[in-house]
Amino acid sequence: MKILAIGRNYADHIAELKNEVPDEPVIFFKPDTAILRNNEPFYYPEYSQDIHHEVELILRIGREGKNIDRKFAHKYYDAIGLGIDFTARDLQAKAKAKGLPWTLAKGFNGSAPVSEFLPLDQFENLQDINFKLDVNGATRQQGNSKMMLNNFDDIIAYISRFITLKKGDIIFTGTPEGVGPVQIGDRLEGYVEDKKLLDFEIK
């Protein structure tokens, strides 16, 4: 199982980080050791002083495929959930300043809390899914799948040109604006529509 993630997929988030709008989807990996399940707590690592939350809709791949035509892409994911792409912003900034990969800033242990998955038939319109993240009871991030620069089918088709997707793979689809730091003691609650899917603490 692998975790693939899309960077810079919401215009307002691109603007808040003062990045350029990419011509094609930006793809990066997280290892399977990044996953946190069942609302386990996130333990703040000693090698960073600036961990940021990035809430995202996530896709679960339901069948193997490569070079998938966009019109068939919807057949390759079978459920949607919610995830946090924790990012060590200080490590990322250091790597970016030197033009180096930022794998450690995204792929460290526990950097990918994931929720349970909801079957696709629970959604009326995959192009209109609301989601949000509350920190200590206050909403920090709100998004909707219609705000994506590249939608679910675009993402599946693009990735599969280069990387074979396999059953059980998870795709993080990008984060809306409002990313920010977390602190020890914070409580994070994530919602898809009105259903709470994430509820865990920073320790």
Side-chain angles (χ1 to χ4, degrees):
M1 183 277 253
K2 55 186 175 289
I3 306 167
L4 291 141
I6 310 298
R8 304 181 188 178
N9 202 25
Y10 287 78
D12 289 342
H13 173 60
I14 294 171
E16 74 177 341
L17 294 187
K18 299 179 174 58
N19 289 322
E20 294 183 5
V21 177
D23 295 327
E24 297 178 314
V26 176
I27 312 295
F28 61 92
F29 280 102
K30 284 176 175 278
D32 59 359
T33 47
I35 285 187
L36 280 182
R37 298 187 189 273
N38 304 315
N39 286 311
E40 295 174 351
F42 171 78
Y43 289 91
Y44 207 111
E46 48 81 23
Y47 42 75
S48 175
Q49 285 73 52
D50 195 21
I51 301 291
H52 282 210
H53 59 76
E54 299 188 8
V55 68
E56 314 196 9
L57 293 172
I58 58 176
L59 306 178
R60 185 179 70 192
I61 299 301
R63 58 189 289 196
E64 183 170 327
K66 62 180 178 179
N67 292 316
I68 299 165
D69 191 297
R70 188 187 180 284
K71 66 176 178 281
F72 299 123
H74 65 281
K75 297 178 179 291
Y76 287 84
Y77 55 98
D78 60 11
I80 291 174
L82 198 65
I84 306 289
D85 169 22
F86 277 129
T87 303
R89 198 69 75 197
D90 45 359
L91 300 186
Q92 186 183 43
K94 182 179 178 181
K96 288 170 70 174
K98 296 180 179 180
L100 298 173
W102 21 274
T103 302
L104 295 182
K106 290 284 193 178
F108 56 91
N109 290 341
S111 63
V114 298
S115 74
E116 63 179 292
F117 283 89
L118 304 176
L120 297 185
D121 60 13
Q122 292 193 21
F123 299 93
E124 290 185 15
N125 182 357
L126 298 182
Q127 308 303 321
D128 187 14
I129 302 174
N130 292 297
F131 63 103
K132 71 171 184 171
L133 177 70
D134 290 351
V135 179
N136 302 324
T139 299
R140 289 269 192 94
Q141 290 185 268
Q142 281 185 296
N144 185 291
S145 56
K146 66 186 176 186
M147 300 164 60
M148 293 179 176
L149 300 179
N150 300 281
N151 66 26
F152 298 150
D153 292 350
D154 295 330
I155 290 168
I156 295 289
Y158 184 81
I159 290 176
S160 70
R161 289 174 54 198
F162 306 92
I163 300 167
T164 298
L165 296 173
K166 292 190 173 184
K167 185 175 182 177
D169 288 349
I170 295 173
I171 299 178
F172 279 65
T173 63
T175 195
E177 68 175 325
V179 303
V182 296
Q183 309 293 337
I184 292 174
D186 285 348
R187 180 182 178 188
L188 277 62
E189 298 169 282
Y191 297 80
V192 172
E193 298 296 348
D194 58 356
K195 188 176 181 63
K196 184 189 289 189
L197 295 183
L198 290 172
D199 186 354
F200 66 95
E201 293 185 353
I202 309 295
K203 292 187 175 181

